[in-house]
Coordinates of all heavy atoms in Angstrom, one line a residue:
L17 N 80.5 -75.8 -131.1 CA 80.7 -75.2 -132.4 C 81.7 -74.1 -132.3 O 82.6 -73.9 -133.2 CB 79.4 -74.7 -133.0 CG 79.5 -74.1 -134.4 CD1 80.0 -75.1 -135.4 CD2 78.2 -73.5 -134.8
A18 N 81.6 -73.3 -131.3 CA 82.6 -72.2 -131.1 C 84.0 -72.7 -130.9 O 85.0 -72.0 -131.3 CB 82.1 -71.3 -129.9
T19 N 84.1 -73.8 -130.2 CA 85.4 -74.4 -130.0 C 86.1 -74.8 -131.3 O 87.3 -74.5 -131.5 CB 85.3 -75.7 -129.2 OG1 84.6 -75.4 -128.0 CG2 86.7 -76.2 -128.8
M20 N 85.4 -75.3 -132.3 CA 86.0 -75.6 -133.6 C 86.4 -74.4 -134.3 O 87.3 -74.5 -135.2 CB 85.0 -76.4 -134.4 CG 84.8 -77.8 -133.9 SD 86.4 -78.7 -133.8 CE 86.9 -78.7 -135.5
L21 N 85.8 -73.2 -134.1 CA 86.2 -72.0 -134.8 C 87.5 -71.4 -134.2 O 88.1 -70.6 -134.8 CB 85.1 -71.0 -134.8 CG 83.8 -71.4 -135.5 CD1 82.7 -70.4 -135.3 CD2 84.1 -71.7 -136.9
T22 N 87.8 -71.8 -133.0 CA 89.0 -71.2 -132.3 C 90.1 -72.2 -132.1 O 90.9 -72.4 -133.0 CB 88.6 -70.6 -130.9 OG1 87.9 -71.5 -130.1 CG2 87.6 -69.4 -131.1
A23 N 90.1 -72.9 -131.0 CA 91.2 -73.8 -130.6 C 91.0 -75.2 -131.2 O 91.9 -75.9 -131.3 CB 91.3 -73.9 -129.1
G24 N 89.8 -75.5 -131.7 CA 89.5 -76.8 -132.2 C 90.3 -77.2 -133.4 O 90.8 -78.3 -133.6
K25 N 90.6 -76.2 -134.3 CA 91.4 -76.5 -135.5 C 92.8 -76.9 -135.1 O 93.4 -77.8 -135.6 CB 91.5 -75.2 -136.4 CG 90.2 -74.9 -137.0 CD 90.3 -73.6 -137.8 CE 89.0 -73.1 -138.3 NZ 89.1 -71.8 -139.0
A26 N 93.4 -76.2 -134.1 CA 94.8 -76.5 -133.7 C 94.8 -77.8 -133.0 O 95.7 -78.6 -133.1 CB 95.3 -75.4 -132.7
I27 N 93.8 -78.1 -132.2 CA 93.7 -79.4 -131.5 C 93.7 -80.6 -132.5 O 94.5 -81.5 -132.3 CB 92.5 -79.4 -130.5 CG1 92.7 -78.5 -129.4 CG2 92.2 -80.9 -130.0 CD1 91.4 -78.3 -128.5
F28 N 92.8 -80.4 -133.5 CA 92.8 -81.5 -134.4 C 94.0 -81.6 -135.3 O 94.4 -82.7 -135.7 CB 91.5 -81.4 -135.3 CG 90.3 -82.0 -134.6 CD1 89.2 -81.3 -134.3 CD2 90.3 -83.4 -134.3 CE1 88.1 -81.8 -133.7 CE2 89.2 -83.9 -133.7 CZ 88.1 -83.1 -133.4
F29 N 94.6 -80.5 -135.6 CA 95.8 -80.5 -136.4 C 97.0 -81.2 -135.7 O 97.6 -82.1 -136.2 CB 96.3 -79.1 -136.8 CG 97.6 -79.0 -137.6 CD1 97.6 -79.4 -138.9 CD2 98.8 -78.7 -137.0 CE1 98.7 -79.4 -139.6 CE2 99.9 -78.7 -137.7 CZ 99.9 -79.0 -139.0
V30 N 97.2 -80.9 -134.4 CA 98.3 -81.5 -133.7 C 98.0 -83.0 -133.4 O 98.8 -83.8 -133.5 CB 98.5 -80.7 -132.3 CG1 99.4 -81.5 -131.4 CG2 99.0 -79.3 -132.6
A31 N 96.7 -83.3 -133.1 CA 96.3 -84.7 -132.8 C 96.5 -85.5 -134.0 O 97.0 -86.7 -134.0 CB 94.9 -84.7 -132.3
S32 N 96.1 -85.0 -135.2 CA 96.2 -85.8 -136.4 C 97.7 -85.9 -136.8 O 98.1 -87.0 -137.3 CB 95.4 -85.1 -137.6 OG 96.0 -83.9 -137.9
A33 N 98.5 -84.9 -136.6 CA 99.9 -85.1 -136.9 C 100.6 -86.2 -136.0 O 101.3 -87.0 -136.5 CB 100.7 -83.7 -136.6
I34 N 100.3 -86.2 -134.7 CA 100.9 -87.2 -133.8 C 100.3 -88.6 -134.1 O 101.0 -89.5 -134.1 CB 100.6 -86.8 -132.3 CG1 101.4 -85.5 -132.0 CG2 101.1 -87.9 -131.4 CD1 101.1 -84.9 -130.7
A35 N 99.0 -88.6 -134.4 CA 98.4 -89.9 -134.7 C 98.9 -90.5 -136.0 O 99.1 -91.7 -136.1 CB 96.8 -89.7 -134.7
S36 N 99.1 -89.7 -137.0 CA 99.6 -90.2 -138.2 C 101.1 -90.6 -138.1 O 101.5 -91.5 -138.7 CB 99.4 -89.2 -139.4 OG 100.1 -88.0 -139.1
G37 N 101.8 -89.8 -137.3 CA 103.2 -90.2 -137.0 C 103.3 -91.6 -136.3 O 104.2 -92.4 -136.6
S38 N 102.4 -91.8 -135.4 CA 102.4 -93.0 -134.7 C 101.9 -94.2 -135.5 O 102.1 -95.3 -135.3 CB 101.7 -92.9 -133.3 OG 100.3 -92.7 -133.5
A39 N 101.0 -93.8 -136.5 CA 100.5 -94.9 -137.4 C 101.6 -95.5 -138.2 O 101.5 -96.6 -138.6 CB 99.4 -94.3 -138.3
V40 N 102.7 -94.7 -138.5 CA 103.8 -95.2 -139.2 C 104.5 -96.3 -138.4 O 105.0 -97.3 -138.9 CB 104.8 -94.1 -139.6 CG1 106.1 -94.6 -140.2 CG2 104.1 -93.1 -140.5
I41 N 104.5 -96.2 -137.1 CA 105.1 -97.2 -136.2 C 104.3 -98.5 -136.4 O 104.9 -99.6 -136.1 CB 105.1 -96.7 -134.8 CG1 106.0 -95.5 -134.6 CG2 105.6 -97.8 -133.8 CD1 105.9 -94.8 -133.3
C42 N 103.0 -98.4 -136.7 CA 102.2 -99.7 -136.9 C 102.8 -100.5 -138.0 O 102.4 -101.7 -138.1 CB 100.8 -99.3 -137.1 SG 100.0 -98.6 -135.7
L43 N 103.6 -100.0 -138.9 CA 104.2 -100.8 -140.0 C 105.4 -101.6 -139.6 O 106.0 -102.3 -140.4 CB 104.6 -99.8 -141.1 CG 103.4 -99.0 -141.7 CD1 104.0 -98.0 -142.7 CD2 102.3 -99.8 -142.3
S44 N 105.8 -101.4 -138.3 CA 107.0 -102.2 -137.8 C 106.7 -103.7 -137.8 O 105.6 -104.1 -137.7 CB 107.3 -101.7 -136.4 OG 108.4 -102.4 -135.9
R45 N 107.8 -104.4 -137.8 CA 107.7 -105.9 -137.8 C 107.5 -106.3 -136.3 O 107.1 -107.4 -136.1 CB 108.9 -106.5 -138.4 CG 108.9 -106.4 -139.9 CD 110.1 -107.1 -140.5 NE 110.1 -106.9 -141.9 CZ 110.9 -107.6 -142.7 NH1 111.7 -108.5 -142.2 NH2 110.8 -107.4 -144.0
L46 N 107.9 -105.5 -135.4 CA 107.8 -105.9 -134.0 C 106.4 -105.7 -133.5 O 105.8 -104.6 -133.6 CB 108.8 -105.1 -133.2 CG 110.3 -105.2 -133.5 CD1 111.1 -104.3 -132.7 CD2 110.7 -106.6 -133.3
S47 N 105.8 -106.7 -132.9 CA 104.4 -106.6 -132.4 C 104.3 -105.5 -131.3 O 103.2 -104.9 -131.3 CB 103.9 -107.9 -132.0 OG 104.6 -108.3 -130.8
Y48 N 105.3 -105.4 -130.5 CA 105.2 -104.4 -129.4 C 105.1 -103.0 -130.0 O 104.3 -102.1 -129.6 CB 106.4 -104.5 -128.5 CG 106.4 -103.4 -127.5 CD1 105.6 -103.4 -126.4 CD2 107.3 -102.3 -127.6 CE1 105.6 -102.4 -125.5 CE2 107.4 -101.3 -126.7 CZ 106.5 -101.3 -125.6 OH 106.5 -100.3 -124.7
H49 N 105.9 -102.7 -131.1 CA 105.8 -101.4 -131.7 C 104.5 -101.2 -132.4 O 104.0 -100.0 -132.4 CB 107.0 -101.2 -132.7 CG 108.3 -101.0 -132.0 ND1 109.5 -101.4 -132.5 CD2 108.6 -100.5 -130.8 CE1 110.5 -101.1 -131.7 NE2 110.0 -100.6 -130.6
R50 N 104.0 -102.2 -133.0 CA 102.7 -102.1 -133.7 C 101.6 -101.7 -132.7 O 100.8 -100.8 -132.9 CB 102.3 -103.3 -134.4 CG 103.1 -103.5 -135.7 CD 102.4 -104.6 -136.6 NE 102.3 -105.9 -135.9 CZ 103.1 -106.9 -136.0 NH1 104.1 -106.9 -136.8 NH2 102.8 -108.0 -135.3
Q51 N 101.6 -102.4 -131.6 CA 100.6 -102.1 -130.5 C 100.8 -100.7 -130.0 O 99.8 -100.0 -129.8 CB 100.7 -103.1 -129.4 CG 100.2 -104.5 -129.8 CD 100.3 -105.5 -128.6 OE1 101.1 -105.2 -127.6 NE2 99.6 -106.6 -128.6
L52 N 102.0 -100.3 -129.7 CA 102.2 -99.0 -129.2 C 101.8 -97.9 -130.1 O 101.1 -97.0 -129.7 CB 103.7 -98.8 -128.9 CG 104.1 -97.5 -128.3 CD1 103.5 -97.3 -126.9 CD2 105.7 -97.4 -128.2
G53 N 102.1 -98.1 -131.4 CA 101.7 -97.1 -132.4 C 100.1 -97.0 -132.5 O 99.6 -95.9 -132.6
G54 N 99.5 -98.1 -132.4 CA 98.0 -98.1 -132.4 C 97.4 -97.5 -131.2 O 96.4 -96.7 -131.3
Y55 N 98.0 -97.8 -130.1 CA 97.5 -97.2 -128.8 C 97.7 -95.7 -128.8 O 96.8 -94.9 -128.3 CB 98.1 -97.9 -127.6 CG 97.7 -99.3 -127.4 CD1 98.5 -100.2 -126.9 CD2 96.4 -99.7 -127.7 CE1 98.1 -101.5 -126.7 CE2 96.0 -101.0 -127.5 CZ 96.8 -101.9 -127.0 OH 96.4 -103.2 -126.8
V56 N 98.9 -95.2 -129.2 CA 99.1 -93.8 -129.2 C 98.2 -93.1 -130.2 O 97.6 -92.0 -129.8 CB 100.6 -93.5 -129.5 CG1 100.8 -92.0 -129.8 CG2 101.5 -94.0 -128.4
G57 N 98.0 -93.6 -131.3 CA 97.1 -93.0 -132.3 C 95.7 -93.0 -131.8 O 95.0 -91.9 -131.9
L58 N 95.2 -94.0 -131.2 CA 93.9 -94.1 -130.6 C 93.7 -93.1 -129.5 O 92.7 -92.4 -129.4 CB 93.5 -95.5 -130.1 CG 92.1 -95.7 -129.5 CD1 91.1 -95.5 -130.6 CD2 92.0 -97.1 -129.0
S59 N 94.7 -93.0 -128.6 CA 94.6 -92.1 -127.5 C 94.6 -90.6 -128.0 O 94.0 -89.8 -127.4 CB 95.7 -92.3 -126.5 OG 97.0 -92.0 -127.1
M60 N 95.3 -90.3 -129.0 CA 95.4 -88.9 -129.6 C 94.0 -88.6 -130.1 O 93.5 -87.5 -129.9 CB 96.5 -88.8 -130.6 CG 97.8 -88.8 -130.1 SD 98.1 -87.7 -128.7 CE 97.7 -86.1 -129.4
V61 N 93.4 -89.5 -130.9 CA 92.0 -89.2 -131.4 C 91.0 -89.0 -130.3 O 90.2 -88.1 -130.3 CB 91.6 -90.3 -132.4 CG1 90.2 -90.2 -132.8 CG2 92.5 -90.3 -133.6
T62 N 91.1 -89.9 -129.3 CA 90.2 -89.8 -128.2 C 90.4 -88.5 -127.4 O 89.4 -87.9 -127.0 CB 90.4 -91.0 -127.2 OG1 90.2 -92.2 -128.0 CG2 89.4 -91.0 -126.1
S63 N 91.6 -88.1 -127.1 CA 91.8 -86.9 -126.4 C 91.4 -85.7 -127.1 O 91.0 -84.7 -126.6 CB 93.3 -86.8 -125.9 OG 94.1 -86.7 -127.0
A64 N 91.6 -85.7 -128.5 CA 91.2 -84.5 -129.3 C 89.7 -84.4 -129.2 O 89.2 -83.3 -129.1 CB 91.7 -84.7 -130.7
L65 N 89.0 -85.5 -129.4 CA 87.5 -85.4 -129.3 C 87.0 -85.0 -127.9 O 86.1 -84.2 -127.8 CB 86.9 -86.8 -129.7 CG 87.0 -87.2 -131.1 CD1 86.5 -88.6 -131.3 CD2 86.3 -86.2 -132.0
A66 N 87.7 -85.4 -126.9 CA 87.3 -85.0 -125.5 C 87.6 -83.5 -125.3 O 86.8 -82.8 -124.7 CB 88.0 -85.8 -124.5
A67 N 88.7 -83.1 -125.8 CA 89.1 -81.6 -125.7 C 88.1 -80.7 -126.4 O 87.9 -79.6 -126.0 CB 90.5 -81.4 -126.2
V68 N 87.5 -81.2 -127.5 CA 86.6 -80.3 -128.2 C 85.2 -80.4 -127.7 O 84.4 -79.5 -127.9 CB 86.7 -80.7 -129.7 CG1 85.7 -80.0 -130.6 CG2 88.1 -80.4 -130.3
T69 N 84.8 -81.5 -127.1 CA 83.4 -81.7 -126.7 C 83.2 -81.7 -125.2 O 82.4 -80.9 -124.7 CB 82.9 -83.1 -127.2 OG1 83.7 -84.1 -126.8 CG2 82.8 -83.1 -128.7
I70 N 83.9 -82.5 -124.5 CA 83.7 -82.6 -123.0 C 84.2 -81.5 -122.2 O 83.5 -80.9 -121.3 CB 84.3 -84.0 -122.5 CG1 83.6 -85.1 -123.2 CG2 84.2 -84.1 -121.0 CD1 84.3 -86.5 -122.9
V71 N 85.4 -81.0 -122.5 CA 86.0 -79.9 -121.8 C 85.2 -78.6 -121.9 O 84.9 -78.0 -120.8 CB 87.5 -79.6 -122.2 CG1 88.0 -78.4 -121.5 CG2 88.3 -80.9 -121.8
P72 N 84.7 -78.2 -123.1 CA 83.9 -77.0 -123.1 C 82.6 -77.2 -122.4 O 82.1 -76.2 -121.7 CB 83.7 -76.7 -124.6 CG 84.8 -77.4 -125.3 CD 85.1 -78.6 -124.4
A73 N 82.0 -78.3 -122.5 CA 80.7 -78.6 -121.7 C 80.9 -78.5 -120.2 O 80.1 -78.0 -119.5 CB 80.2 -80.0 -122.1
L74 N 82.0 -79.1 -119.7 CA 82.3 -79.0 -118.3 C 82.6 -77.6 -117.9 O 82.2 -77.2 -116.8 CB 83.5 -79.9 -118.0 CG 83.3 -81.4 -118.0 CD1 84.6 -82.1 -117.7 CD2 82.2 -81.8 -116.9
I75 N 83.2 -76.8 -118.7 CA 83.4 -75.4 -118.3 C 82.1 -74.6 -118.2 O 81.9 -73.8 -117.3 CB 84.4 -74.7 -119.4 CG1 85.8 -75.3 -119.2 CG2 84.4 -73.2 -119.2 CD1 86.8 -74.8 -120.2
I76 N 81.2 -74.9 -119.1 CA 79.9 -74.3 -119.1 C 79.1 -74.7 -117.8 O 78.5 -73.9 -117.2 CB 79.1 -74.6 -120.3 CG1 79.7 -73.8 -121.5 CG2 77.6 -74.2 -120.2 CD1 79.1 -74.2 -122.9
L77 N 79.2 -76.0 -117.5 CA 78.5 -76.5 -116.3 C 79.1 -76.0 -115.0 O 78.4 -75.6 -114.1 CB 78.4 -78.0 -116.4 CG 77.5 -78.6 -117.4 CD1 77.6 -80.1 -117.4 CD2 76.1 -78.2 -117.2
I78 N 80.4 -76.1 -114.9 CA 81.0 -75.9 -113.6 C 81.3 -74.4 -113.4 O 81.3 -73.9 -112.2 CB 82.3 -76.7 -113.5 CG1 82.0 -78.2 -113.5 CG2 83.1 -76.4 -112.2 CD1 83.2 -79.1 -113.6
K79 N 81.6 -73.7 -114.4 CA 82.0 -72.3 -114.3 C 83.1 -72.0 -113.3 O 82.9 -71.4 -112.3 CB 80.7 -71.4 -114.0 CG 79.7 -71.5 -115.0 CD 78.4 -70.7 -114.7 CE 77.4 -71.0 -115.8 NZ 76.1 -70.7 -115.3
P80 N 84.3 -72.4 -113.6 CA 85.4 -72.2 -112.7 C 85.7 -70.7 -112.5 O 85.6 -69.9 -113.4 CB 86.6 -72.9 -113.4 CG 86.2 -73.2 -114.8 CD 84.7 -73.1 -114.9
R81 N 86.1 -70.4 -111.3 CA 86.3 -69.0 -111.0 C 87.5 -68.4 -111.7 O 87.6 -67.2 -111.9 CB 86.5 -68.8 -109.5 CG 85.2 -69.0 -108.7 CD 85.3 -68.6 -107.3 NE 86.6 -68.8 -106.7 CZ 86.9 -68.5 -105.5 NH1 86.0 -67.9 -104.7 NH2 88.1 -68.7 -105.0
F82 N 88.5 -69.2 -112.0 CA 89.7 -68.6 -112.7 C 89.4 -68.1 -114.1 O 90.3 -67.4 -114.7 CB 90.9 -69.6 -112.7 CG 90.7 -70.8 -113.5 CD1 91.0 -70.8 -114.9 CD2 90.1 -72.0 -113.0 CE1 90.9 -71.9 -115.7 CE2 89.9 -73.1 -113.8 CZ 90.3 -73.0 -115.2
L83 N 88.3 -68.4 -114.6 CA 87.9 -67.9 -116.0 C 87.1 -66.6 -115.9 O 86.8 -66.1 -116.9 CB 87.1 -69.0 -116.7 CG 87.9 -70.2 -117.1 CD1 87.0 -71.2 -117.8 CD2 89.1 -69.9 -118.0
E84 N 86.7 -66.2 -114.7 CA 85.9 -65.0 -114.6 C 86.8 -63.8 -114.8 O 88.0 -63.8 -114.5 CB 85.3 -64.9 -113.2 CG 84.3 -66.0 -112.9 CD 83.8 -65.9 -111.5 OE1 84.2 -65.0 -110.7 OE2 83.0 -66.8 -111.2
R85 N 86.2 -62.7 -115.3 CA 87.0 -61.5 -115.5 C 87.0 -60.7 -114.2 O 86.1 -60.6 -113.5 CB 86.3 -60.6 -116.6 CG 86.5 -61.2 -118.0 CD 86.0 -60.2 -119.0 NE 86.3 -60.7 -120.3 CZ 86.1 -60.1 -121.4 NH1 85.6 -58.9 -121.4 NH2 86.4 -60.6 -122.6
I86 N 88.2 -60.1 -114.0 CA 88.4 -59.3 -112.8 C 88.1 -57.8 -113.3 O 88.9 -57.3 -114.1 CB 89.8 -59.4 -112.2 CG1 90.0 -60.9 -111.8 CG2 90.0 -58.5 -111.1 CD1 91.4 -61.2 -111.3
E87 N 87.2 -57.2 -112.7 CA 86.9 -55.8 -113.0 C 87.7 -54.9 -112.1 O 87.7 -55.0 -110.9 CB 85.4 -55.5 -112.9 CG 84.6 -56.4 -113.9 CD 83.1 -56.0 -113.8 OE1 82.7 -54.9 -113.3 OE2 82.3 -56.9 -114.1
R88 N 88.3 -53.9 -112.7 CA 89.1 -53.0 -111.9 C 88.5 -51.6 -112.0 O 88.0 -51.1 -112.8 CB 90.5 -52.9 -112.5 CG 91.2 -54.2 -112.3 CD 92.6 -54.2 -112.8 NE 93.2 -55.5 -112.7 CZ 94.4 -55.8 -112.8 NH1 95.2 -54.9 -113.2 NH2 94.9 -57.0 -112.7

């Protein structure tokens, strides 16, 4: 939930812009372009969902050291 309040909005905005732009390619008469547009759109939606759900969960579980604060 916290991810959606911060970076999640930007992630979904950019992913939806790229996915909708590639959806226009699906209107092409060439079958290769239609497939490519569909694959790019699907991969953008999948990566946006993973960035909002899986990545924060992995950060909580793994606790990488580069995210720790350095006290001076």
